[in-house]
Amino acid sequence: MNILQKVKNVLVDSKVLSAAGLLRHSSHFVYQPDAKPPVDGPTQKMNMFQAINQAMDIALEQNDSALVFGEDVAFGGVFRCSMGLQKKYGRERVFNTPLCEQGIAGFAIGVANTGAKAIAEMQFADYIFPAFDQIVNEAAKYRYRSGNLYDCGSLTFRAPCGAVGHGACYHSQSPEAYFAHTPGLKVVVPRGPNKAKGLLLACVKDNDPCIVFEPKTLYRAAVEEVPVAAFESPIGKADILRNGTDITLIGWGTQVHVLQEVANMAKKQLDVSCEVIDLVSILPWDKETICNSVKKTGRVLIAHEAPLTNGFGAELAATIQEECFLHLESPVLRVTGWDTPFPHVFEPFYIPDKHRCLAGIRKVIDY
């Protein structure tokens, strides 16, 4: 058999497997763009890394003290988020650092304390742990321990996070819960280009150090019409993406798109009306929006890629139990990653995909 015949056979087999639903695809979600731009004015079609690039461009243009730095950011970074910025603003404002996350964070804290706008990239969220002490024990506490004489309010960390189809245990983690336990920080997770741009610009201007966890699988998969002008998305405010009456579905980042697809499936297969909420902000989080929704629907499912035990869904579940107990028709259910290291070949069985989430809805409704 020649090479052309082999390729033809592979293509035919792939079509058959795909039609039968047996072929694994790298994406476990269908991206759902926002219905309309967040502000009026001219827009441009962008994917998420382009929207992030534009946000950093605006930050650098608006403030002469702003700096962008991290591993490989000078040539654009591994996900191309900083492409063209060094050429436009020079090597003194956009530059590479050594491969040392603790050093990146320490330097970022130092320049932020001088009043400069520091935008520091951790190449992967999985690499942020060597910088944990600097972020948690220094950046987060500067304002408190100095009696408000000093702060890191002009410091923003960007970190690509989450499942990507082939990342395995060192390129797939979602570490938001580690940092949500730290007063003094703000933590956000965008679901697409508009949120990524708006949240990043809001973080750059915020009075506290911020971490933006960017779901890396959305960098190219997420495409929207994004306002060209500068705008900010509020930190600490959740978004109701779909109104419903029977159950509240809560997620953030990529999981929001899984839940929107699940909501369609639940309506079609179970005749269940789902309210879908993007939490957006992990710290602080929007207790009012969440609790009002749960009091209305009486049921709730929380989904996230991070492991079950002590994932941020546990904090949501505890608060819902305290604030909404008499309104609940069933226990709060979490559909999450498993309590194991993030796998490689078994990733499809690890992530909380639409099938696991739909089964969770069925369980809650049938309680």
Side-chain angles (χ1 to χ4, degrees), residues 186-255:
K186 292 184 177 177
V187 181
V188 297
V189 187
R191 65 174 178 270
N194 278 304
K195 275 296 173 183
K197 179 178 177 178
L199 287 172
L200 182 52
L201 288 174
C203 288
V204 169
K205 292 186 178 181
D206 199 83
N207 292 324
D208 292 302
C210 299
I211 304 176
V212 185
F213 285 116
E214 302 164 358
K216 67 180 80 70
T217 194
L218 297 180
Y219 279 137
R220 288 170 174 79
V223 179
E224 289 175 336
E225 289 292 332
V226 180
V228 175
F231 66 92
E232 298 173 29
S233 297
I235 299 171
K237 181 63 178 174
D239 292 337
I240 299 176
L241 302 180
R242 177 180 180 136
N243 290 303
T245 57
D246 297 327
I247 185 171
T248 300
L249 309 181
I250 306 170
W252 49 91
T254 307
Q255 200 61 31

Side-chain angles (χ1 to χ4, degrees), residues 295-359:
K295 288 175 182 178
K296 178 179 72 172
T297 65
R299 303 175 182 88
V300 59
L301 181 147
I302 304 163
H304 57 71
E305 291 183 12
L308 175 72
T309 302
N310 291 325
F312 194 68
E315 174 64 23
L316 299 179
T319 300
I320 290 167
Q321 186 274 141
E322 291 174 356
E323 301 290 335
C324 311
F325 182 75
L326 296 179
H327 298 268
L328 290 173
E329 300 289 344
S330 67
V332 177
L333 183 67
R334 290 174 289 158
V335 182
T336 70
W338 305 108
D339 286 340
T340 69
F342 202 103
H344 185 202
V345 68
F346 295 120
E347 178 179 304
F349 305 103
Y350 182 92
I351 54 179
D353 64 10
K354 60 186 179 183
H355 305 294
R356 288 178 59 198
C357 290
L358 183 64

